Amino acid sequence: IRTASVSQRSVRSLTPLARQLRTNQKDMFMVASSAQSSTSKVASVATADIGLIGLAVMGQNLALNIAEKGFNIAVYNRSASKTVDTVERAAREKLDTKLAGYSDIKDFVMAIKRPRKVIILVKAGAAVDATIAALQDLLEPGDMIIDGGNEWFTNTERRSAEAEKRGLLYMGMGVSGGEEGARKGPSLMPGGPLEAYKQIEPIVKKVAAQVDDGACVTYIGPGGSGNYVKMIHNGIEYGDMQLIGEAYDMLRTLGGCSADELETIFKEWNKGALDSFLIEITGKILGQKDNIAKNNKSMVEVILDQSGSKGTGMWTMEEAARRGVPAPTIAAALEARYLSALKKDRVSASQVLAGVHPGSLSFDSKYTKAQFVEDVKAALYASKICSYAQGMNLIRKAAEENGWQLNLGEIARIWKGGCIIRAKFLDRIKAAYVKNSSLPSLLVDPDFAAELKSSQESWRRIVSLAVMHGVAVPAMSGSLAYYDSYRRGVLPSSQMVQAQRDYFGSHTYQRLDRDGVYHTRWSSDGVTEVIE
């Protein structure tokens, strides 16, 4: 591990743990493992292949991943204690020859070989701007900044334009996989100048998760496309999680399944078409007993029923509304989290509002518990197809409107490993777009259409049972409504809405039987005018 020369002021700002690591030299401070036998000031020759700023959970794990893949990495954090923690962990993991920590940002920058590549993993928004401000005067033309956070895509485009004026390259790179993915191999979604991607490609291809058809990273496209794709990934994740939650509710509440039965069911599901990270961890969650109360209850049963959110689901729905792309499954998932947050209101309402009280179904030879479980499985799978279809349609629409040439099949491929929504059926999604790159929706791909057809009876039965027995399944029912609306050539409800708009606002309408634009004087003489 390298050592860094810092001012006395910098030394005083360091934590007690950091001070203990100070060397005997008056102006030297070691932010490294004591395993290093010799210390020196910052080397006159830069040795780091890449730098990383921001050593919270994701940053620290990604830095160690990069080091483990054989690249020299310099790390820096505004609070030196996190730098110390990272360096000490690197030593414990025997990566101390690859990772060097710095307590001074100038020394950090000077340690990176030119053209410099600096990943920043800090909180989106103002923190990113502040980090760039601290960096930009230290960087030189041709150097690169890569924002690896969950950032709003237009912020990335603004920063890219500002960086270009200084001769710097700027990328926005989605990073998915959580703590484990960052350490062992995430899915990476880099967007920005192609020349910038070519510079980091040798590193990110090794650092990313590896699957049967390559590394889970690809050049997404220009501008803020990398951040955009990561945002939609998170929106799909919202839908996936809510659908699994609804399946769990149906199995537990109407199916009367015990925690042990539920654990077995989800583990079995993970061996087939539903094979995915989220199904896998659901089975593991259901196997976890409450080790605090020690009452043999499943841990999930004692968790407060309030789901948090950090903003990417909201961003996805803002984009869906702005671009006119229906995404009811993702919308239902987001609204379900907001409803869950109204805990006190819901408890009060439960004492006032009437309705059927959800309880276990009475199964018999005509409709067995085993058939019910299979129906829930089919409903979950069909709804999942709709959720992914909505997300991919939103990516396609944004690409069209922004002039991005995005490869939807390749995007599906890099989600196969490392990320939260990794799933077996992403191979199928990739294949669908390889067959037809202009596919208007996954729903009309022949293979997916056939599966949706075979799932329909179960899907409708589960949604009907949920409605009749008072169990809310907004994402499943929203998915079914999306499917039913999409497959109808004429929507009478929309005919009525447009007539109403023309009645009170003279918004005009078009006809099914002839060309032109029309307005009817509904409230006066009833005469229809041809406007165009």
Side-chain angles (χ1 to χ4, degrees):
I1 298 298
R2 308 290 178 190
T3 59
S5 172
V6 297
S7 66
Q8 288 300 310
R9 181 179 177 185
S10 296
V11 170
R12 285 196 297 273
S13 72
L14 298 171
T15 63
L17 173 60
R19 292 193 194 105
Q20 290 172 17
L21 295 172
R22 191 186 308 164
T23 69
N24 291 329
Q25 295 168 286
K26 184 177 179 181
D27 66 339
M28 294 295 296
F29 174 75
M30 179 181 281
V31 288
S33 167
S34 59
Q36 181 74 19
S37 60
S38 63
T39 64
S40 63
K41 293 180 183 288
V42 176
S44 59
V45 177
T47 58
D49 300 303
I50 194 167
L52 188 148
I53 296 177
L55 296 171
V57 172
M58 288 293 287
Q60 182 181 107
N61 281 282
L62 186 61
L64 292 166
N65 180 2
I66 292 169
E68 188 175 60
K69 297 305 187 297
F71 300 100
N72 293 324
I73 180 168
V75 298
Y76 170 82
N77 196 82
R78 187 170 56 86
S79 58
S81 60
K82 290 188 182 297
T83 307
V84 173
D85 291 343
T86 302
V87 170
E88 290 183 333
R89 183 177 168 192
R92 290 194 302 272
E93 297 185 15
K94 296 181 171 47
L95 296 171
D96 45 321
T97 61
K98 290 294 181 183
L99 185 147
Y102 294 85
S103 59
D104 181 272
I105 194 167
K106 182 177 180 181
D107 294 339
F108 160 78
V109 170
M110 294 303 107
I112 305 167
K113 292 184 285 189
R114 294 204 62 208
R116 300 182 183 93
K117 296 170 278 290
V118 180
I119 298 172
I120 54 177
L121 272 166
V122 300
K123 188 176 180 180
V128 176
D129 288 321
T131 303
I132 293 170
L135 268 177
Q136 59 190 11
D137 289 335
L138 301 173
L139 297 176
E140 301 172 73
D143 291 348
M144 182 194 319
I145 298 172
I146 306 137
D147 179 9
N150 284 328
E151 186 55 270
W152 181 242
F153 75 104
T154 58
N155 284 343
T156 296
E157 294 183 336
R158 168 180 60 80
R159 292 170 185 144
S160 181
E162 292 167 355
E164 187 176 1
K165 293 175 184 176
R166 290 176 168 264
L168 303 176
L169 297 170
Y170 192 92
M171 299 195 78
M173 181 173 70
V175 180
S176 179
E179 178 180 354
E180 182 178 349
R183 181 64 185 86
K184 297 180 179 179
S187 175
L188 299 173
M189 294 152 259
L194 180 58
E195 62 177 303
Y197 176 71
K198 290 297 183 184
Q199 289 185 34
I200 63 167
E201 186 176 29
I203 297 176
V204 295
K205 278 200 165 183
K206 283 193 175 181
V207 168
Q210 307 294 317
V211 292
D212 56 353
D213 51 4
C216 292
V217 61
T218 192
Y219 175 63
I220 297 296
S225 60
N227 290 122
Y228 197 94
V229 167
K230 174 56 164 60
M231 175 184 69
I232 304 305
H233 163 285
N234 285 18
I236 294 171
E237 180 183 309
Y238 271 60
D240 240 356
M241 293 172 72
Q242 178 64 25
L243 289 168
I244 292 170
E246 291 174 12
Y248 163 72
D249 191 358
M250 290 292 287
L251 292 169
R252 175 182 161 184
T253 304
L254 298 190
C257 296
S258 67
D260 289 343
E261 286 178 298
L262 288 163
E263 179 187 5
T264 300
I265 288 167
F266 277 92
K267 286 183 175 178
E268 282 299 313
W269 286 0
N270 200 47
K271 296 175 183 177
L274 285 170
D275 178 0
S276 65
F277 172 72
L278 287 170
I279 292 290
E280 177 188 350
I281 68 167
T282 300
K284 291 178 178 179
I285 287 167
L286 289 162
Q288 177 66 49
K289 302 298 182 184
D290 183 354
N291 50 26
I292 294 179
K294 297 184 177 170
N295 52 14
N296 207 37
K297 271 191 173 183
S298 176
M299 181 64 82
V300 71
E301 294 178 33
V302 299
I303 292 176
L304 180 67
D305 53 322
Q306 289 181 313
S307 305
S309 59
K310 288 189 174 181
T312 46
M314 178 186 70
W315 288 352
T316 300
M317 291 319 304
E318 286 177 352
E319 273 294 286
R322 188 165 75 86
R323 299 188 190 278
V325 177
T329 311
I330 300 170
L334 180 64
E335 289 168 0
R337 295 196 187 194
Y338 293 160
L339 266 169
S340 79
L342 304 177
K343 176 65 174 178
K344 289 183 180 179
D345 291 354
R346 289 188 290 108
V347 171
S348 297
S350 70
Q351 306 302 313
V352 177
L353 299 179
V356 60
H357 184 73
S360 298
L361 299 175
S362 297
F363 298 107
D364 55 29
S365 58
K366 292 182 179 179
Y367 190 56
T368 64
K369 186 172 181 177
Q371 181 59 57
F372 173 76
V373 172
E374 285 301 307
D375 283 349
V376 174
K377 177 184 177 182
L380 173 57
Y381 184 68
S383 299
K384 183 184 178 84
I385 294 171
C386 290
S387 182
Y388 278 75
Q390 293 159 29
M392 298 307 268
N393 283 355
L394 186 47
I395 292 173
R396 188 184 71 241
K397 185 66 175 291
E400 291 171 358
E401 294 183 352
N402 286 292
W404 300 333
Q405 299 297 314
L406 304 190
N407 185 329
L408 297 184
E410 184 67 358
I411 289 169
R413 186 195 70 77
I414 67 169
W415 287 347
K416 286 170 54 180
C419 68
I420 303 302
I421 64 170
R422 60 185 183 265
K424 182 179 180 179
F425 96 139
L426 281 160
D427 261 330
R428 308 269 313 286
I429 295 177
K430 173 192 168 185
Y433 285 114
V434 168
K435 283 188 296 183
N436 182 2
S437 61
S438 58
L439 188 70
S441 172
L442 286 174
L443 302 190
V444 297
D445 170 74
D447 292 336
F448 280 122
E451 288 191 316
L452 288 166
K453 180 181 178 181
S454 67
S455 298
Q456 266 196 74
E457 185 178 345
S458 294
W459 196 5
R460 296 184 189 284
R461 186 157 47 234
I462 288 303
V463 171
S464 298
L465 284 170
V467 171
M468 293 301 297
H469 292 84
V471 176
V473 287
M476 280 191 185
S477 58
S479 298
L480 182 56
Y482 175 77
Y483 175 78
D484 281 338
S485 293
Y486 196 70
R487 70 187 183 87
R488 289 184 79 179
V490 176
L491 295 172
S493 60
S494 296
Q495 291 176 304
M496 177 56 70
V497 168
Q498 194 59 26
Q500 290 171 337
R501 294 182 75 243
D502 188 51
Y503 189 108
F504 65 71
S506 299
H507 292 294
T508 73
Y509 57 88
Q510 294 173 285
R511 296 175 60 102
L512 291 173
D513 58 349
R514 63 194 68 193
D515 294 334
V517 177
Y518 301 84
H519 166 62
T520 298
R521 297 196 293 263
W522 305 88
S523 60
S524 57
D525 57 13
V527 171
T528 297
E529 303 171 309
V530 180
I531 307 301
E532 293 180 16

